[in-house]
Structures are given as C-alpha cells and as structure tokens.
Amino acid sequence: MDDQETRENPTPAATPAVRPKRVSYHGRTAGAKALSNKEEVKVEEFEPFMLLPRGPPPLTEFLDIHDVDVLKQPQEINKQQHHTHLYSSDFLIVRRAQEFQIKITFNRPYKPAEDKFAVLFFIGPSPQYSKGTYIPVFPTEDRQSIWRGRIIETNDNVVTMGITASPECIVGKYMIYIGVETPYGVRRTKRNPSTDIYILFNPWSAADPVFLDDDKEREEYVMNELGIIYHGSYDDVSERAWNFGQFEYGVLDACLFILDKAEMPLSNRGDVIKVTRIASAMLNSRDDDGVLVGNWSGDYTHGVPPTSWTGSVEIFLDYAGSKGQPVGYAQCWVYAAVFNTFLRCLGIPSRVVTNFFSAHDNDGNLKMDVILDENGKVDRDRTKDSIWNYHCWNECYMARPDLPPGFGGWQVVDATPQETSDGMYRCGPASVNAIKHGQICYPFDAPFVFAEVNSDVVFYRRRIVDGTYEPVRVNTSHVGRMVLTKNVLNDGRQDIISQYKFPEGSPEERRVLEKAEEFGCQREKASLPEDDVDVEIPSQEVLVGDTFDLIVQFNNRSDKRRTVNAYITGSVVYYTGVSRAEVVFKTQKVKLEPLQGKEEKVVVHGEDYIHKLVEQGSIHFITTGKVKETGQIITAMKVITMRNPKLIVKVTGSPRVSEEMLVSVEFTNPFKFNLENVVLRMEGPGIMPLKRHESSLISPGKTLIWTEAFRPQRAGSTRLMASLDCAALRHVYGEAELIIQPESDTRVGS
C-alpha cells in the first residue's frame, strides 16, 4: 500500500480502540457549555416578578401581542437589503451589523410613555446575556443593549421596529419572542418556529471583520453559486465547473450542523477566525468524523469517486441527513469546493485557488529531495518527498486583529488532510501577505503553506560507498509555478502567484527566504558549479490513448564537444506525484557539438499506458543524465496530462422560469474497449437538482444519450453541468450555459 492509500485508509490496529464513554461535566464546571444551535431552551409565557400564590391575575388591561411578522419573503425588504433573497428557505435570513425590520401587531395602539416591551432573541439550550446567547432589544434610545433597536413607524396597532445585530454577534439560528412588561411580571409570546431568524456574517458592513469593500468582488466571492476548478499541469491547465449551491435548500442548516457536530461553543461562533479554523478540521473526517472521507487509492467501491461530483449540495445534505456520517470520497478539489460552499453560505467571502506544482515535504524544510544514483538515474525507492501536480485550497477574506497591521485580507484555509495542526488535520487561516513576506511565525500554519509555494527541488547523488548524499542540482523555480483562481464575474482565470511570493531571483525574494530561515525553514545552500549543458522537455497536448513522440531537447552552451549519458523515464502518477507504474524507460547517448542543440524523440505507445492510467491521466517524464566530460548532472521534468473526451450537453425549450425544458447529455466511446458501470450526474443551480443516470455498458464506438426534463426555478444566468465516471475513464465533463428569463405573465384582462 502506498503513501496515498495510507493517508486516508490507515491499517487498522489488531485490537479496535474503544472510545471512552462520555462522562458528566459535574465536578469540573458549574454547567455544560452551550455547544448546539439546534437545542432550544423552553421560554415561559409568563415570568412573575414576585411570588403569586393564586397565579397571575388577568392581564387584559395591559399591552398584548396579536401577531409578529418578520418580513421574511424573498421580495420583502429584509432579504432584499441583506442580499439573502436567493436562499431557499422559509425563514428570515439577515446579516449582522445591518438593520432589519419586523412588524408587531398589538391589541391596541402602542403608547411609548406607558408600554414597555422588548424583542427577545435566544440561541442554544442555556441562553445567557453575558455569553451573547440571550439578547433583549428595546425600542427606545434611553434603554439599549448590545443590539440596537428603534421604532421606524407606528400605524394604528402595528409597530414597525428596526433591529441591528452587533458586528460580533453569534452566527446561527435564533428564536424570537416579544416580551411585555406588566406590574406582575413579563408576558411573552408563545413559541412560534416560523419567526426564527438566521443571522450571518456581513461582508457589506464595514463593522464586520469579513467586510469586503468592492461590490463586484462581493458578487463573485459571496453571491456566485458557480465556480471553476483548475487542475492539470501549469503549462496545460484544465478546468471544470462546480455548483457551490450555497443557497440551496438545507445547505445553511447543514453548515450549522457541522459546527454543532464539532461541539463548537456557541459563544465562539461570532469569531470568523475560530469558525474557519474549526471548519478546516470538520470538512475532513480524519480525526473528528467530519464531512468528507479522502481517498487517493483509486478504489471507490463504497462511495462516490471524487471525479464524479458536480457540486457540493448532495454532500452537505447527505452528511446532515445521516446525522454526521462522513461522505465518501474526496480529493483536494472536492475539499476546497465544499469548503467554499460552507464559507459563502455563512457570508464569508471566499474563493478556490489552485497551486501548480505544490510541495508536500515529508520532513518540514524547504527542500524537495530527488535521489539519483551515481550515474544520474532517479532512485525512486529513496525519493520520498512528493510534488503534487496541483493542489487546491481556499482563501477567505477577513480582518486579523490577532496579527500586526497589514496581515488581514486574504487568508489560506485548507481542509485536505495533509499535516496536523494543534493535534488535528487542518490548515489555516494563514495570512497570504504574511506568507509573501516570510513572516511565518504568525498563526496559523504559515510555514506549511510557505513551503508549498517556495520549496526548492534538490537533486542528490547517492554515493554507493558510504550512502551519503551530494547535492548536484537545485531547481528553485519548479514549485509554486502558478496560483490560479477564477476571475471576478467572468469565466477567465487570474494568476495570483504574485500575492504569495516575489519574482524568482529578485532581491525581495532573497530577503523573504532569509527571513523564513530565521524562523527555522532549512534550504540547500551548497555552491554548485555552473552548468554548460541544458535539457528540456517541451509541453504538448495529447488525447488519452494516443501514441505520441516525447521530445527531449539538449543544448550545449560550451565551445567544446559534450557527451551526455541520459536516462528518460515516464511513470503514470497520481496527481499527488506518487508513481503508480513505469511506462517508459530509455537510455540514450547524446553527442553534442560546440554551441549546438539537439532533439531526441521517444515514442510513447497508447497501448503501453492506457490501462495503467489513474483518474488524472498524468504521466511524469524525467530526463536525467551525466555529462561525460565534466561530470555535470542534468535534469528536466515534465508532467503531461492526457486530454479526455468531452460530454456534449444540449438544452432545448423556452428558457423561462417554470417553463418545461429538455437537456440531453451525449457521449461516444472513442476507445477500443468497453466502458462498464458508467455513472452520469447532472445539476444546475436554480434550475435542476442533482440527477443521476447509470449505464451498464458503452461498447467501442457506441453513443449514449441521456435526456431529462426540468423547470427553471429562478431567472438569471446559470449553467447545467454534467460528469461521466467509470473505473476505466474519469474526469469527463460537459456543460451548457443558460440565461433564464422571468416567468411570463399569462393573466388576461377581462
């Protein structure tokens, strides 16, 4: 079993560990912590100020409440002004640090001089004012609490009240009651679940730590349900669409359930730093029965292959619906996409980013070690560090009052379980600006992220005599070639590598690396002789299964003849850089005239690799060699990712809300072998929930056509996305863009 299998599927112990029985908190604390948003406190309808032996007297002469309207419809003022009108929810959803309105109908006109009432907010099983889990809101200026209240309008028996939650308040679901003060006690409304209210983070408010001062960026990083995930290799980037689905029914409740499952104290849930750190751990299942089970083995028998998912919604609903049973399976882009849904759903600006050639170092330094034998051939048994072809993580936007000025803004968070942080598999939030400037002493996990984009690839020659390693070549630019994310409000991509590090070889970069060394990061400092022979493997596009010529270019920059004894190897690799099978091995003696370049070709036959490919379809080619005259070691690396066939997605019908439309997904098997147990999935935000289709067999040259009817639920620009998956072929996608028009008005005048 290789490293990738053991990462998420460790070998079970001989004797299963018995989880200790949960014990009482008595004797340690005065009471249990409030850890659940779902649990409720019972609120009495009447709370006397004094002992009333005969019970409360008739209260008919005092103010009474007939109705509470929280103005929760999507077209009403609250959801429109709070940018929550897209949530598929029957409840009011608002954002903190911004006023919302409720209408209270009394039994008679409200008299400010005589009547005293308050709107009461409760969250959790044991509300306390000091913990922020019980908040009374008063209508008069002379009596205010941590939330502000005011009378906006009085109309006969109806009072419209404006309420502003504090910018630090707990994010979650609150119960609302109206309390009226009488001489005998407080009269409260009955429990009415329909008036419950969700309060989220608010990137539109300058008072909130997640404030993002750009309308277009808020539209992209909070409101956009459609994403693009970048994968492949840095010089041959592929992309696929993803339905974040943060507004879909049940997703918000699932996000709050995740925090409950983590047993996160309610009093901490207003702190975006703590929320994102907890979520980073809870989105993977390694040590806390979190949302997603990682699997890099290629065996997905008991779950959904990572390449098959088209969106996050099904994952959230499965996890919450099963009361917290981890969902299989995920790899880094699934973790990042699902984490993005969580963040945007709660109102935290976020984006998925992809780092191409991402270092995963096994010994905590800034060196990715490649071991060669004395002749320059790669020793795969002794090469343990891995360079991922790409790695996806998230950035979320927030202030960092716990760090020095200048280190707020975009923060790295990563739910893919790679290394433990404070005893759990999680990463971040780590300031992107701190990483760029080498200030990796600041929390959280900045050294790990710094190494992912700044490590050097160091080639060592192993001496057989004594087993020692001698550095023979250092590649300082291979790791962290490019960090891609989707453009704001269009489908283009932007390279944000300049936000992570200064240009290669610049004085600023040298200063940053020196600063990182002060904090314990080790680099290879050996002084190596200058090279006069180079080798390079050019990029090329290859369709999966095709035979192609691998080009290796040698260049002699000296004025003397050179002879290179070269090794050219090609290995099918997982996208994590772990080798599965060698498919090319060739030795070549290359004679170079002074100041001459020369190309060598190696034929790579489709039948040699097609049945050994893993889901990413990547072959890692390495050319190494030794220059006979100088003893110089030369190296070149190239990942060629095979291009898969595409799904054809066609939509017909009138693109209008509530009008029936048809979508067809078409795929023709281009291979000489059968595709068996094929699963297709399709979904689109606002227009189609997840649909699934299975086909037991697609024979060579045969075409599968799958057709579904659907009715769009809301107007606007959207996309249908589909995937095809089977054991022999993964990462097959297709999509269709749609612009849905508003529902037509069919009413006819009399």
Side-chain angles (χ1 to χ4, degrees):
M1 186 178 289
D2 62 31
D3 290 345
Q4 299 308 315
E5 291 177 277
T6 57
R7 180 177 292 124
E8 284 290 322
N9 302 292
T11 304
T15 303
V18 178
R19 179 172 293 183
K21 182 180 178 182
R22 185 183 295 274
V23 296
S24 169
Y25 59 84
H26 293 298
R28 182 172 181 268
T29 60
K33 287 184 178 180
L35 304 174
S36 172
N37 194 164
K38 188 174 183 180
E39 293 182 28
E40 298 181 2
V41 66
K42 182 180 179 182
V43 179
E44 299 295 336
E45 291 183 38
F46 183 77
E47 185 176 348
F49 293 150
M50 65 200 84
L51 183 62
L52 300 173
R54 298 183 181 181
L59 301 174
T60 53
E61 61 185 286
F62 303 107
L63 192 67
D64 196 6
I65 303 97
H66 282 185
D67 184 57
V68 179
D69 182 0
V70 295
L71 307 176
K72 62 184 179 181
Q73 297 306 314
Q75 71 276 9
E76 292 184 293
I77 186 171
N78 286 332
K79 287 189 174 179
Q80 288 292 320
Q81 290 190 349
H82 285 253
H83 309 276
T84 58
H85 56 287
L86 295 179
Y87 284 88
S88 298
S89 174
D90 297 328
F91 295 94
L92 175 60
I93 303 172
V94 296
R95 302 183 189 276
R96 62 191 194 176
Q98 181 178 339
E99 186 176 78
F100 62 93
Q101 298 181 16
I102 65 171
K103 290 182 182 289
I104 307 169
T105 303
F106 295 107
N107 61 328
R108 59 168 173 77
Y110 167 62
K111 303 173 184 177
E114 300 176 14
D115 300 326
K116 294 182 179 180
F117 78 93
V119 183
L120 311 176
F121 293 82
F122 296 84
I123 184 170
S126 53
Q128 298 178 59
Y129 183 77
S130 63
K131 301 292 186 184
T133 50
Y134 162 63
I135 304 99
V137 182
F138 304 100
T140 57
E141 276 295 327
D142 61 328
R143 191 180 183 193
Q144 290 291 326
S145 68
I146 53 176
W147 294 14
R148 305 290 297 175
R150 70 184 181 102
I151 299 293
I152 295 176
E153 183 183 31
T154 301
N155 185 5
D156 197 17
N157 294 5
V158 180
V159 171
T160 302
M161 188 168 170
I163 299 170
T164 305
S166 70
E168 304 87 18
C169 82
I170 294 166
V171 167
K173 186 178 182 182
Y174 291 77
M175 300 181 292
I176 293 182
Y177 292 83
I178 310 298
V180 176
E181 184 178 326
T182 74
Y184 306 101
V186 177
R187 164 197 274 167
R188 301 188 183 96
T189 48
K190 294 181 179 180
R191 173 78 178 105
N192 182 2
S194 70
T195 63
D196 288 353
I197 174 176
Y198 294 84
I199 298 183
L200 309 179
F201 293 101
N202 192 352
W204 282 265
S205 170
D208 197 302
V210 302
F211 175 60
L212 181 60
D213 191 17
D214 187 295
D215 285 336
K216 290 182 178 179
E217 289 189 353
R218 286 193 295 257
E219 188 67 25
E220 175 67 45
Y221 299 134
V222 181
M223 302 298 291
N224 196 353
E225 298 169 271
L226 292 167
I228 295 176
I229 311 294
Y230 298 102
H231 58 102
S233 56
Y234 91 99
D235 52 1
D236 186 17
V237 176
S238 298
E239 58 186 55
R240 57 163 300 182
W242 190 276
N243 176 22
F244 295 129
Q246 66 266 35
F247 304 126
E248 296 293 334
Y249 182 82
V251 172
L252 177 54
D253 283 325
C255 292
L256 299 182
F257 170 75
I258 289 167
L259 298 179
D260 283 357
K261 189 75 164 46
E263 298 187 344
M264 183 181 190
L266 289 175
S267 57
N268 289 345
R269 298 190 192 183
D271 187 330
V272 64
I273 299 171
K274 293 178 180 177
V275 168
T276 53
R277 187 146 174 81
I278 286 285
S280 173
M282 279 301 299
L283 266 294
N284 69 73
S285 66
R286 275 300 295 266
D287 39 29
D288 47 17
D289 289 333
V291 177
L292 283 160
V293 180
N295 188 344
W296 284 260
S297 70
D299 180 5
Y300 309 119
T301 305
H302 301 293
V304 176
T307 48
S308 189
W309 301 110
T310 48
S312 306
V313 177
E314 181 186 8
I315 293 169
F316 277 101
L317 298 186
D318 282 357
Y319 185 71
S322 66
K323 306 300 182 186
Q325 290 296 314
V327 179
Y329 292 106
Q331 292 175 8
C332 72
W333 73 92
V334 182
Y335 284 116
V338 172
F339 201 172
N340 216 55
T341 299
F342 176 92
L343 295 165
R344 290 187 184 181
C345 184
L346 293 184
I348 304 168
S350 63
R351 59 192 184 188
V352 176
V353 304
T354 304
N355 178 36
F356 286 90
F357 292 137
S358 190
H360 184 196
D361 187 11
N362 282 337
D363 48 13
N365 53 38
L366 292 179
K367 300 184 295 182
M368 306 301 295
D369 304 337
V370 179
I371 313 304
L372 310 176
D373 66 18
E374 290 193 329
N375 295 314
K377 182 176 180 291
V378 175
D379 186 337
R380 294 194 179 275
D381 292 334
R382 291 182 169 84
T383 300
K384 301 299 182 183
D385 291 347
S386 63
I387 302 172
W388 295 30
N389 296 346
Y390 65 90
H391 178 50
C392 299
W393 60 67
N394 302 85
E395 290 179 1
C396 53
Y397 199 88
M398 66 179 78
R400 288 297 299 269
D402 58 322
L403 302 183
F407 293 134
W410 289 111
Q411 312 287 314
V412 171
V413 286
D414 190 350
T416 302
Q418 297 182 89
E419 303 290 341
T420 58
S421 172
D422 295 335
M424 302 186 75
Y425 282 92
R426 58 183 166 189
C427 180
S431 166
V432 173
N433 205 30
I435 291 162
K436 179 174 182 176
H437 289 87
Q439 298 286 354
I440 58 177
C441 59
Y442 297 124
F444 296 88
D445 310 310
F448 183 79
V449 183
F450 185 86
E452 287 184 298
V453 296
N454 283 293
S455 291
D456 295 337
V457 182
V458 184
F459 293 85
Y460 291 94
R461 179 163 49 198
R462 180 179 179 271
R463 293 191 179 96
I464 296 177
V465 176
D466 54 13
T468 58
Y469 293 169
E470 173 195 7
V472 292
R473 192 172 185 84
V474 179
N475 187 331
T476 60
S477 62
H478 184 73
V479 168
R481 287 285 184 94
M482 183 166 60
V483 176
L484 291 185
T485 192
K486 179 183 174 296
N487 268 340
V488 174
L489 299 185
N490 67 61
D491 288 346
R493 62 196 188 208
Q494 58 174 320
D495 183 4
I496 57 172
I497 189 64
S498 62
Q499 297 181 23
Y500 282 84
K501 59 183 182 180
F502 290 99
E504 198 73 38
S506 65
E508 295 88 351
E509 187 215 24
R510 286 195 295 273
R511 283 196 293 269
V512 165
L513 293 174
E514 289 168 1
K515 175 67 69 176
E517 286 182 289
E518 292 176 11
F519 295 119
C521 289
Q522 300 176 5
R523 301 173 61 221
E524 179 56 61
K525 294 184 176 181
S527 179
L528 303 177
E530 193 170 331
D531 303 335
D532 60 16
V533 176
D534 298 325
V535 61
E536 183 180 356
I537 305 174
S539 303
Q540 56 182 305
E541 293 185 8
V542 181
L543 293 177
V544 65
D546 280 2
T547 295
F548 63 97
D549 290 333
L550 179 74
I551 308 297
V552 183
Q553 296 175 341
F554 296 86
N555 184 36
N556 180 11
R557 292 184 285 105
S558 76
D559 56 3
K560 297 181 175 60
R561 290 188 178 90
R562 293 287 185 251
T563 303
V564 179
N565 294 313
Y567 299 89
I568 302 170
T569 63
S571 297
V572 169
V573 292
Y574 298 89
Y575 83 99
T576 55
V578 174
S579 176
R580 186 196 180 199
E582 187 172 87
V583 293
V584 173
F585 177 75
K586 185 177 182 181
T587 58
Q588 192 91 16
K589 179 176 281 191
V590 183
K591 295 183 177 180
L592 300 171
E593 295 298 320
L595 302 174
Q596 181 202 47
K598 190 174 184 180
E599 285 189 354
E600 296 290 334
K601 292 183 179 180
V602 178
V603 179
V604 183
H605 296 281
E607 58 268 21
D608 290 340
Y609 69 81
I610 183 66
H611 295 293
K612 297 176 182 177
L613 286 178
V614 288
E615 53 257 36
Q616 304 287 328
S618 297
I619 301 180
H620 188 197
F621 292 98
I622 300 180
T623 297
T624 59
K626 187 175 182 180
V627 180
K628 179 180 177 182
E629 292 79 7
T630 64
Q632 171 199 341
I633 296 294
I634 61 171
T635 63
M637 297 185 291
K638 178 67 63 179
V639 174
I640 294 180
T641 301
M642 307 296 152
R643 294 295 183 99
N644 281 332
K646 299 280 188 182
L647 296 178
I648 299 173
V649 182
K650 296 179 180 178
V651 180
T652 57
S654 175
R656 191 173 294 278
V657 171
S658 299
E659 295 282 338
E660 184 173 89
M661 301 181 69
L662 294 176
V663 57
S664 66
V665 180
E666 182 177 321
F667 177 78
T668 300
N669 180 1
F671 305 110
K672 298 177 182 179
F673 52 86
N674 294 332
L675 299 178
E676 300 177 351
N677 300 318
V678 177
V679 177
L680 292 98
R681 305 163 83 87
M682 178 167 51
E683 63 181 307
I687 52 175
M688 179 189 283
L690 180 72
K691 302 283 187 180
R692 203 166 173 274
H693 179 78
E694 297 183 9
S695 175
S696 60
L697 179 69
I698 307 177
S699 302
K702 297 297 183 182
T703 299
L704 176 149
I705 299 177
W706 168 34
T707 303
E708 287 281 352
F710 66 98
R711 294 179 184 271
Q713 300 302 303
R714 63 172 186 255
S717 177
T718 187
R719 188 175 299 171
L720 274 168
M721 52 204 78
S723 72
L724 177 147
D725 206 272
C726 65
L729 183 65
R730 305 199 189 277
H731 263 305
V732 178
Y733 306 110
E735 59 188 73
E737 293 188 10
L738 296 88
I739 298 177
I740 306 299
Q741 301 299 323
E743 190 170 6
S744 59
D745 190 350
T746 58
R747 291 173 296 176
V748 179
S750 57

